[in-house]
């Protein structure tokens, strides 16, 4: 069993971690819990990290959302669920999710659907669209925006791409 860290040791280690990358309060609490620190000590360390701006849940949420949408190609619902799991306040979640630019959001979804369309085996357009909708819903995109993208796709001629 590892010896329990002092508050100062925990603070220094967590400050170093936070200086390298964005982290939320919950991640730091989880680390301290694993180290066996009591809740009062955790609260004091968190308060110090927050006051010194090592931890800022809103700043973290902004970076998290940007990364998940751009690089992981997640939709709002999946991102929101991940933020909830990290115990980010509802008002911060809403503010940050509202900042997602609709145009950028579409720039993520449209190519994703086009790529997926190439790999799907379907008997007809209806079945193809159902599979694309399920795929995009699984990625956390809303049905309305999926439908919008599929309607745009239908206006284009994909026959020459599929041959």
């Amino acid at each position: 069993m590892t010896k329990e860290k002092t508050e100062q040791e925990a603070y220094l280690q967590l400050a170093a971690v936070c200086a390298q990358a964005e982290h939320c309060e919950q991640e730091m609490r989880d680390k301290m819990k694993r180290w066996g620190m009591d809740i009062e000590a955790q609260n004091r360390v968190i308060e110090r990290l927050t006051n010194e701006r090592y931890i800022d849940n809103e700043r973290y949420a902004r970076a998290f959302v940007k990364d998940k949408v751009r690089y992981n190609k997640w939709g709002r619902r999946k991102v929101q669920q991940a933020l909830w799991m990290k115990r980010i306040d509802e008002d911060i979640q809403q503010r940050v999710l509202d900042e997602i630019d609709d145009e950028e959001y579409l720039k993520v979804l449209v190519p994703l659907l086009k790529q997926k369309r190439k790999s799907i085996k379907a008997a007809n357009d209806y079945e193809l669209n159902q599979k694309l909708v399920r795929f995009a819903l699984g990625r956390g995109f809303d049905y309305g925006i999926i439908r919008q993208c599929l309607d745009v796709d239908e206006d284009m001629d994909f026959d020459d791409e599929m041959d």
Side-chain angles (χ1 to χ4, degrees), residues 7 11 14 25 28-29 32 39-55:
E7 272 184 53
Y11 166 76
L14 294 177
E25 180 181 323
M28 298 301 101
R29 284 192 185 280
M32 289 187 284
I39 196 76
E40 289 83 18
Q42 286 182 31
N43 289 339
R44 287 190 295 271
V45 171
I46 290 293
E47 187 177 343
R48 189 171 168 195
L49 289 168
T50 304
N51 289 341
E52 295 177 17
R53 308 249 322 127
Y54 282 108
I55 296 176

Side-chain angles (χ1 to χ4, degrees), residues 24-31 33 39 42 55-58 60-61 64 79-93:
C24 65
E25 180 181 323
Q26 190 57 44
E27 291 171 338
M28 298 301 101
R29 284 192 185 280
D30 291 344
K31 279 187 184 298
K33 199 176 193 178
I39 196 76
Q42 286 182 31
I55 296 176
D56 180 335
N57 280 345
E58 189 160 346
Y60 168 82
F64 183 85
V79 172
Q80 186 173 21
Q81 191 174 23
L83 289 172
W84 180 81
M85 297 284 289
K86 292 182 178 290
R87 296 197 172 101
I88 302 295
D89 289 341
E90 291 274 330
D91 59 319
I92 292 174
Q93 282 182 38

Side-chain angles (χ1 to χ4, degrees), residues 10 16 34 62 83 85 90 96-98 102 107 121 127 149 157:
R34 282 195 300 273
R62 273 201 181 83
L83 289 172
M85 297 284 289
E90 291 274 330
V96 172
L97 288 168
D98 288 344
D102 285 342
K107 282 181 188 169
K121 303 273 185 274
E127 188 181 326
C149 288
D157 189 17

Side-chain angles (χ1 to χ4, degrees), residues 85-137:
M85 297 284 289
K86 292 182 178 290
R87 296 197 172 101
I88 302 295
D89 289 341
E90 291 274 330
D91 59 319
I92 292 174
Q93 282 182 38
Q94 207 49 59
R95 234 185 347 265
V96 172
L97 288 168
D98 288 344
E99 289 172 8
I100 298 174
D101 181 41
D102 285 342
E103 206 163 303
E104 182 181 350
Y105 201 55
L106 287 170
K107 282 181 188 169
V108 168
L109 182 56
V110 170
L112 202 61
L113 289 172
K114 281 184 181 175
Q115 179 100 35
K116 187 68 178 171
R117 182 183 291 258
K118 293 175 187 172
S119 67
I120 290 180
K121 303 273 185 274
N124 54 43
D125 283 348
Y126 178 77
E127 188 181 326
L128 176 71
N129 280 342
Q130 291 304 305
K131 288 181 177 186
L132 286 171
V133 166
R134 272 198 303 278
F135 166 74
L137 285 171

